Amino acid sequence: MFATNMDSARDVGGAPSTVLIPMRFVWPYGGRSVFLSGSFARRWSELIPMTPVEGCPTVFQAIYSVMPGYHQYKFFVDGEWRHDEHQPYVSGEYGLVNTVLLATDPNFFHPNVTPEITSGSNMEEDTEAFRRLVRITDGNLTDVVPRITEGDLQGSRHRISVFLSAHTTYELLPESGKVVALDVDLPVKQAFHILHEQGIPLAPLWDFSKGQFVGVLTASDFILILRELGNHGSNLTEEELETHTIAAWKEGKAYLNGQIDGHGRALPRRFIHAGPYDNMKDVVLKLLQNEVATVPIIHSSSEDGTFPQLLHLASLSGILKCICRYFRHSSSSLPILQAPICELHVGTWVPEIGESNCRPLAMLRPSASLSAALNLLVQAQVSSIPIVDDNDSLLDIYCRSDITALAKDRAYAHINLNEMTIHQALQLGQDSYSPFEPRSQRCQMCLRSDSLHKVMERLANPGVRRLVIVEAGSKRVEGIVSLSDIFKFLLG
């Protein structure tokens, strides 16, 4: 961003003239629709269109005349507010904003301009209104970490609780969409092919004989089935998998878990679901208590519950997006959003040296067996495992939903779980990621210094279910924060 020329545009007439300096503002990071706004654009109320530079379709520019002085500005790219981290920027009323100082007097100085540490990461969305401030103290750069009191914490939690209690899951329903449901009489093999082809980690189950929804089939079921296939004492064979129905598997799963009555019959598992008029807080608590991330939204117009309709899937991600959208322009009412996640102890962290009584963070090397990964997912009751090198630097992540990639071409029938490595399993599935969870969203990261607001905004994005906390530069894994971690903290 620079001045195209220093010719002054002056008002005509006898009144004292106002100096306007034509400035060229540049956004060199691409986009479909790019606008400029700032303190000079009718005090942020005007969006100035930016046009691609001829021969450089990813570089957008706008020429706008501004008065000498201190100005703030940022870019509106494809519906999201962004700043250019390679230009001077500060944190202000409108989040992270770029700055420019045009002075006709060499002694002009704006007292509120403070330097910012420039991140080394790629361009990121900065829709949050809060970020770390940096000031100069005795010539040294010092982080200014907001002090969060117990009153701030409880007050923020109360406001979020009130919001969730006052809004229903009906607000989560999209204007249009698709929800896949499976018949319980469908063979397990075919069911997992559908999950893989549709790019979904779970599907509600419909029992035609009962005329109602009875449960959910998830990637975890496939993990348990594969472990059973790999168990030499298992009664389930690969041939039986071709005809084994979902209903039969669910009954067998109940026996495996010891969920049987006094007569040796499998106990029916309670179907966890929500109604369109249930408030969001009750749904969040239901999700957390049952350790699931998604529940079907079922509605029946009849009093006896017959003829139920599957409307949507309520998820922690969707509810978090509602929170972020509601408080986006009133972030000051939630002081905890300003605090870095390391100060709030959100998520699971690698234990410090000498620290005891801390839940360890499960991590594996790419050379570990797929069997080890599946066992860890089940035994540690986690949804994902960071894959790291010998220095514990992040390479990739293995998630429960990755297991559905083995449904492609019946790969599960040709592999040995103890011999296949995690690296090979990830390679096998690298062409299998659906548009619902592109590979770029599989391994999302954040820093321990990132604000809670920034972490929440990222987790609210479609397909992002957790963030791996890494050390800047080395990408050494320091922890992991999931959607359930955020809600457990927000609701206390």
Side-chain angles (χ1 to χ4, degrees), residues 224-398:
L224 294 175
I225 288 174
L226 289 182
R227 293 178 78 215
E228 277 298 297
L229 289 175
N231 182 359
H232 296 298
S234 173
N235 293 321
L236 183 64
T237 66
E238 292 175 10
E239 290 75 18
E240 289 175 325
L241 191 61
E242 304 286 332
T243 56
H244 208 66
T245 65
I246 298 174
W249 158 246
K250 287 293 186 180
E251 184 175 355
K253 180 181 176 181
Y255 281 107
L256 287 173
N257 295 333
Q259 298 169 336
I260 54 177
D261 60 19
H263 302 286
R265 295 189 295 263
L267 292 171
R269 187 175 179 181
R270 185 170 61 92
F271 175 42
I272 305 166
H273 64 284
Y277 304 113
D278 292 351
N279 72 66
M280 290 187 189
K281 182 178 180 180
D282 287 344
V283 174
V284 169
L285 293 175
K286 183 179 293 187
L287 289 165
L288 295 178
Q289 290 165 2
N290 290 280
E291 298 182 337
V292 294
T294 306
V295 294
I297 301 178
I298 308 291
H299 176 64
S300 175
S301 55
S302 59
E303 294 183 0
D304 60 359
T306 55
F307 306 108
Q309 291 180 297
L310 175 60
L311 303 180
H312 190 53
L313 298 178
S315 66
L316 292 177
S317 175
I319 296 174
L320 184 62
K321 193 172 187 68
C322 287
I323 294 176
C324 292
R325 184 168 57 240
Y326 182 80
F327 290 101
R328 181 165 293 165
H329 301 297
S330 58
S331 302
S332 58
S333 65
L334 299 178
I336 58 172
L337 296 186
Q338 305 176 49
I341 55 172
C342 62
E343 297 295 321
L344 301 175
H345 306 292
V346 180
T348 303
W349 295 75
V350 174
E352 300 289 343
I353 296 177
E355 187 178 8
S356 59
N357 301 322
C358 182
R359 179 186 177 186
L361 177 64
M363 294 188 290
L364 288 174
R365 303 282 187 263
S367 58
S369 69
L370 180 57
S371 176
L374 300 186
N375 289 338
L376 192 55
L377 286 171
V378 174
Q379 294 167 5
Q381 295 182 325
V382 294
S383 62
S384 60
I385 304 169
I387 309 303
V388 298
D389 63 14
D390 293 337
N391 297 316
D392 288 343
S393 295
L394 185 66
L395 299 174
D396 209 322
I397 193 165
Y398 193 84

Side-chain angles (χ1 to χ4, degrees), residues 160-167 279-281 284 319 323 491:
I160 290 175
S161 177
V162 169
F163 167 78
L164 292 175
S165 298
H167 293 75
N279 72 66
M280 290 187 189
K281 182 178 180 180
V284 169
I319 296 174
I323 294 176
L491 296 181

Side-chain angles (χ1 to χ4, degrees), residues 178-182 191-192 194-196 198-205 215-222 246 250 271-272 287 291-297 310 312-316 400-401 403-404 437 465:
K178 177 180 71 173
V179 182
V180 177
L182 304 175
F192 284 110
I194 293 173
L195 291 185
H196 168 66
Q198 295 294 322
I200 53 177
L202 58 87
L205 299 176
V216 174
L217 187 73
T218 70
S220 296
D221 287 302
F222 198 22
I246 298 174
K250 287 293 186 180
F271 175 42
I272 305 166
L287 289 165
E291 298 182 337
V292 294
T294 306
V295 294
I297 301 178
L310 175 60
H312 190 53
L313 298 178
S315 66
L316 292 177
R400 285 181 194 166
S401 55
I403 199 67
T404 58
E437 187 177 18
R465 299 186 178 95

Side-chain angles (χ1 to χ4, degrees), residues 65-319:
S65 295
V66 301
M67 295 173 60
Y70 172 76
H71 300 284
Q72 297 181 346
Y73 65 96
K74 63 194 309 181
F75 304 89
F76 194 64
V77 183
D78 296 337
E80 298 288 349
W81 284 108
R82 308 280 290 274
H83 77 288
D84 186 346
E85 63 181 16
H86 298 295
Q87 298 292 335
Y89 65 87
V90 297
S91 181
E93 181 182 358
Y94 294 92
L96 286 179
V97 295
N98 290 115
T99 62
V100 59
L101 177 61
L102 298 178
T104 54
D105 181 351
N107 296 317
F108 180 89
F109 175 73
H110 193 282
N112 295 326
V113 179
T114 54
E116 284 274 348
I117 289 179
T118 301
S119 167
S121 62
N122 293 329
M123 291 301 301
E124 299 170 347
E125 295 177 6
D126 59 282
T127 51
E128 71 271 23
F130 300 100
R131 200 41 209 258
R132 290 189 308 150
L133 296 179
V134 175
R135 66 184 176 191
I136 294 181
T137 305
D138 299 328
N140 297 318
L141 289 176
T142 306
D143 287 350
V144 180
V145 179
R147 301 182 68 87
I148 303 299
T149 66
E150 183 64 22
D152 291 333
L153 176 61
Q154 297 306 325
S156 298
R157 284 174 169 170
H158 175 71
R159 291 183 184 91
I160 290 175
S161 177
V162 169
F163 167 78
L164 292 175
S165 298
H167 293 75
T168 68
T169 58
Y170 185 84
E171 298 175 46
L172 301 176
L173 304 183
E175 293 183 3
S176 63
K178 177 180 71 173
V179 182
V180 177
L182 304 175
D183 193 295
V184 292
D185 291 327
L186 198 68
V188 170
K189 170 198 166 185
Q190 189 175 346
F192 284 110
H193 272 286
I194 293 173
L195 291 185
H196 168 66
E197 291 167 359
Q198 295 294 322
I200 53 177
L202 58 87
L205 299 176
W206 171 259
D207 189 324
F208 183 78
S209 62
K210 297 179 180 178
Q212 61 185 20
F213 292 96
V214 294
V216 174
L217 187 73
T218 70
S220 296
D221 287 302
F222 198 22
I223 291 174
L224 294 175
I225 288 174
L226 289 182
R227 293 178 78 215
E228 277 298 297
L229 289 175
N231 182 359
H232 296 298
S234 173
N235 293 321
L236 183 64
T237 66
E238 292 175 10
E239 290 75 18
E240 289 175 325
L241 191 61
E242 304 286 332
T243 56
H244 208 66
T245 65
I246 298 174
W249 158 246
K250 287 293 186 180
E251 184 175 355
K253 180 181 176 181
Y255 281 107
L256 287 173
N257 295 333
Q259 298 169 336
I260 54 177
D261 60 19
H263 302 286
R265 295 189 295 263
L267 292 171
R269 187 175 179 181
R270 185 170 61 92
F271 175 42
I272 305 166
H273 64 284
Y277 304 113
D278 292 351
N279 72 66
M280 290 187 189
K281 182 178 180 180
D282 287 344
V283 174
V284 169
L285 293 175
K286 183 179 293 187
L287 289 165
L288 295 178
Q289 290 165 2
N290 290 280
E291 298 182 337
V292 294
T294 306
V295 294
I297 301 178
I298 308 291
H299 176 64
S300 175
S301 55
S302 59
E303 294 183 0
D304 60 359
T306 55
F307 306 108
Q309 291 180 297
L310 175 60
L311 303 180
H312 190 53
L313 298 178
S315 66
L316 292 177
S317 175
I319 296 174

